[in-house]
Amino acid sequence: MIHLVILSVLISCAFSATLKNDSSSFFEGRIVGGVPVAIQDYPYQVSVQKNDRHICGGSVISSYFVLTAAHCTNNFLSSVLKRYSVRVGSTYQNSGGTVFRIARIHQNKNYPYTNDYDVSLLELENSLTPLMLASPSTVKAIPLPSAGYPVPVGELIRVTGWGSLTTNGVLVTELRGVEVPYIGRASCQEAYLSAEYTITDKMMCVGYLGVGGKDSCAGDSGGPAVYNGVQVGVASWGYGCGDPKYPGVYVDLTNQQINSWIISII
């Protein structure tokens, strides 16, 4: 089953031979194989919510903007925008911190026509600056990479989120994190040949090929992938969950087109 990661730490999940391109299956994500972590260690992490319930991960990238995946926002309607919000500054997705309403959604116009551009920006009604100043240990923007920012193959990437730990399981309430190695695009494409999926230059892959057990997979889509204190990816999709044959796929924020699109808005 192809999932769009609504990020948490992947433990493991079986896959089916049927691809379902919707937010409940193709865009599904959770942190499997990870450990509980505190928001003080990841103050950029946010919970994207609908009707005050967690649906996706996201990251603070400026005083007014949260970065997430386009598949997390694809069904958002402007007429019911008041139902959507982000919770910042809390280790728990269902309590604590501060809830901010969303004023506008900037979804990349190329999505959903292609999974190449699975990225959205959430513009908040109010600035995060007062919170950033009052509580910098729990609310802080994560730096974004410049185009072409180097990420060496094999280097560990940190991913975090509140996704479920098992297939069809309930979401966890406490933030979790895991480290997974960066996989070169050629190796990732080779892994996905049997599934007939193309890994483009706007995608990056992480995971333990041949081992599995750690990855992002449901409730975690849109969450950050971080290397050396810089967010280099956004949890996007994968075939199965923590499967040893198929690594997790993320939006590559070092890509020139993705990078330029984000800068043009914020």
Side-chain angles (χ1 to χ4, degrees):
M1 177 177 66
I2 284 285
H3 65 268
L4 281 174
V5 272
I6 299 167
L7 191 76
S8 289
V9 181
L10 296 175
I11 278 182
S12 69
C13 56
F15 65 85
S16 71
T18 302
L19 170 66
K20 299 179 180 179
N21 191 4
D22 63 30
S23 60
S24 64
S25 55
F26 187 80
F27 296 97
E28 170 185 8
R30 59 193 152 278
I31 298 295
V32 173
V35 297
V37 295
I39 195 66
Q40 286 81 1
D41 295 318
Y42 307 94
Y44 49 81
Q45 177 77 48
V46 309
S47 167
V48 179
Q49 307 198 337
K50 177 183 179 181
N51 295 329
D52 300 319
R53 293 189 177 187
H54 176 83
I55 59 170
C56 277
S59 56
V60 175
I61 60 170
S62 75
S63 295
Y64 275 97
F65 286 93
V66 164
L67 179 63
T68 190
H71 71 260
C72 294
T73 64
N74 197 44
N75 294 320
F76 282 22
L77 301 175
S78 58
S79 60
V80 292
L81 196 56
K82 64 183 179 181
R83 296 182 183 177
Y84 298 92
S85 60
V86 296
R87 184 184 298 275
V88 306
S90 180
T91 299
Y92 303 94
Q93 49 92 345
N94 60 349
S95 64
T98 306
V99 175
F100 282 75
R101 296 298 171 185
I102 299 169
R104 185 180 178 187
I105 296 169
H106 303 264
Q107 180 173 303
N108 191 287
K109 65 181 180 180
N110 294 297
Y111 187 88
Y113 307 106
T114 170
N115 291 328
D116 246 0
Y117 296 88
D118 186 20
V119 61
S120 282
L121 288 164
L122 307 180
E123 186 173 352
L124 306 180
E125 285 187 349
N126 298 300
S127 173
L128 291 169
T129 297
L131 268 183
M132 290 176 170
L133 294 174
S135 185
S137 65
T138 59
V139 183
K140 187 178 181 180
I142 180 79
L144 296 179
S146 57
Y149 182 85
V151 182
V153 171
E155 287 294 296
L156 293 177
I157 308 297
R158 191 72 175 177
V159 294
T160 46
W162 289 279
S164 59
L165 302 180
T166 59
T167 304
N168 300 319
V170 298
L171 298 177
V172 298
T173 57
E174 186 176 9
L175 187 63
R176 297 178 70 87
V178 71
E179 288 185 327
V180 282
Y182 173 69
I183 297 172
R185 192 168 286 114
S187 296
C188 189
Q189 180 61 80
E190 183 177 358
Y192 274 97
L193 281 178
S194 61
E196 299 183 350
Y197 284 95
T198 300
I199 304 301
T200 74
D201 64 352
K202 298 175 185 65
M203 301 175 186
M204 60 173 286
C205 302
V206 301
Y208 286 94
L209 278 175
V211 178
K214 294 183 179 181
D215 191 4
S216 60
C217 174
D220 285 334
S221 287
V226 176
Y227 171 66
N228 273 355
V230 175
Q231 183 175 349
V232 295
V234 174
S236 183
W237 63 275
Y239 201 95
C241 301
D243 191 283
K245 295 188 292 184
Y246 302 105
V249 183
Y250 293 68
V251 178
D252 187 349
L253 298 182
T254 73
N255 174 270
Q256 177 69 59
Q257 289 170 282
I258 298 293
N259 197 274
S260 296
W261 179 79
I262 293 172
I263 292 172
S264 71
I265 295 174
I266 65 174

